[in-house]
């Protein structure tokens, strides 16, 4: 593992994220990515499809910086419907792993009233660290 996962003694392990991550190196900050394509066009209004595209967009930005999903240390999700997020977690898992592999950074998910792009249902930002 490139980064060190922080798991306090006696805590139950989290599912699909880390409680904390320790890392050293060059930091990359990926601005919020939404579920549209490289031409900034939405291909779907489906929550899971938008999540998949947003995650693939993140992977592309990481690659442009010389990094990959294994370098992620922090991920923040902004969703417009937390109930849909919770209800569709079983569908989201495979989509996440397809784009990010089994790399689970420290993660936060919050519901927001709206996102800047009217059709967007999710926006995800990432911090990554390429080791020294």
């Amino acid at each position: 593992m490139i980064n060190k996962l922080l798991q306090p003694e006696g805590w139950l392990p989290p599912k699909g994220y880390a409680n904390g991550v320790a890392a050293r190196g060059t930091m990359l900050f990926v601005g919020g990515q939404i579920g549209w394509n490289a031409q900034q066009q939405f291909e779907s209004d489906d929550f899971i499809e938008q999540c998949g595209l947003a995650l693939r967009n993140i992977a592309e930005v990481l690659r442009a910086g010389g990094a990959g999903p294994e370098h992620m240390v922090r991920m923040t999700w902004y969703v417009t419907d937390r109930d849909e997020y919770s209800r569709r977690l079983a569908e989201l898992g495979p989509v996440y792993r397809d784009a990010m592999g089994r790399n689970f950074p420290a993660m936060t998910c919050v519901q927001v009233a709206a996102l800047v792009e009217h059709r967007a249902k999710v926006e995800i930002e990432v911090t990554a660290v390429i080791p020294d």
Side-chain angles (χ1 to χ4, degrees), residues 35 46-56 77 79 85 92 95 122 124:
D46 178 73
F47 177 74
I48 297 298
E49 289 181 30
Q50 284 196 14
C51 288
L53 197 43
L55 291 164
R56 289 190 299 277
W77 293 60
V79 298
Y85 172 85
L92 185 55
V95 170
V122 61
I124 308 167

Side-chain angles (χ1 to χ4, degrees), residues 39-94:
Q39 288 70 47
Q40 300 179 350
Q41 298 170 334
F42 287 93
E43 297 174 0
S44 174
D45 289 317
D46 178 73
F47 177 74
I48 297 298
E49 289 181 30
Q50 284 196 14
C51 288
L53 197 43
L55 291 164
R56 289 190 299 277
N57 291 342
I58 289 166
E60 286 295 319
V61 174
L62 289 171
R63 269 192 286 286
E70 68 275 14
H71 297 107
M72 296 185 304
V73 296
R74 179 97 176 123
M75 179 179 270
T76 304
W77 293 60
Y78 302 94
V79 298
T80 58
D81 185 341
R82 75 168 186 190
D83 293 333
E84 182 171 25
Y85 172 85
S86 295
R87 185 175 62 252
R88 298 188 73 188
L89 277 174
E91 295 171 76
L92 185 55

